[in-house]
Amino acid sequence: MTAIRLDYSGGKLVRNTCSDPSGRGKCSPWDVQEATLTVRCTPDSCSLYAFTETLPIDAPLSRSGDIPNQGKGCAPTHWTLELTPVGEAVTEGITHPARLVGTATGNRPAALVPGFNCLGADQLYRYDATPS
């Protein structure tokens, strides 16, 4: 076996707000209550696929970045990821984290820009995830 893919489940949405600066109530929070983390492992290392990056997850991980907004002139969504691998497990002869513990956030400011209503968002996921 040269590589395995693991889906770590156990991420729960604990904060989920949406704001509509126009006051027209067009905003509705995301309806994603659980989040899965996808990890690919080889005999040498494990990598997490998150947001727009592939990140090593063999040690505590702290990363942030921005995802461009599709709206004209809207601010990007800023994300953070804080995960710690806990313990070890072996699947098909490849060692990987037994659990991933931490948080992920996504924040986008609300704004009215010429000709466009940029909806705001604030999400927080807490993880104590195990491979399923």
Side-chain angles (χ1 to χ4, degrees):
M1 176 65 54
T2 58
I4 57 172
R5 175 190 155 158
L6 301 163
D7 291 320
Y8 284 74
S9 58
K12 301 288 183 198
L13 183 63
V14 296
R15 184 176 68 230
N16 189 23
T17 61
C18 185
S19 54
D20 179 355
S22 74
R24 295 187 197 119
K26 293 183 179 181
C27 202
S28 58
W30 292 350
D31 192 26
V32 179
Q33 297 301 312
E34 294 190 21
T36 300
L37 300 167
T38 300
V39 175
R40 181 178 183 272
C41 295
T42 67
D44 298 324
S45 66
C46 291
S47 297
L48 169 73
Y49 296 95
F51 301 101
T52 60
E53 298 187 39
T54 302
L55 307 167
I57 192 66
D58 295 317
L61 171 66
S62 178
R63 192 68 64 94
S64 65
D66 292 316
I67 300 171
N69 196 317
Q70 300 302 314
K72 302 171 186 170
C74 297
T77 299
H78 183 73
W79 59 267
T80 64
L81 189 59
E82 303 281 340
L83 288 174
T84 300
V86 177
E88 288 186 350
V90 178
T91 301
E92 298 180 31
I94 295 178
T95 301
H96 57 84
R99 295 173 31 228
L100 295 175
V101 177
T103 61
T105 64
N107 301 86
R108 182 178 58 247
L112 287 173
V113 296
F116 204 80
N117 181 18
C118 303
L119 300 176
D122 180 23
Q123 290 91 24
L124 169 65
Y125 286 89
R126 290 202 190 283
Y127 289 96
D128 189 349
T130 56
S132 53

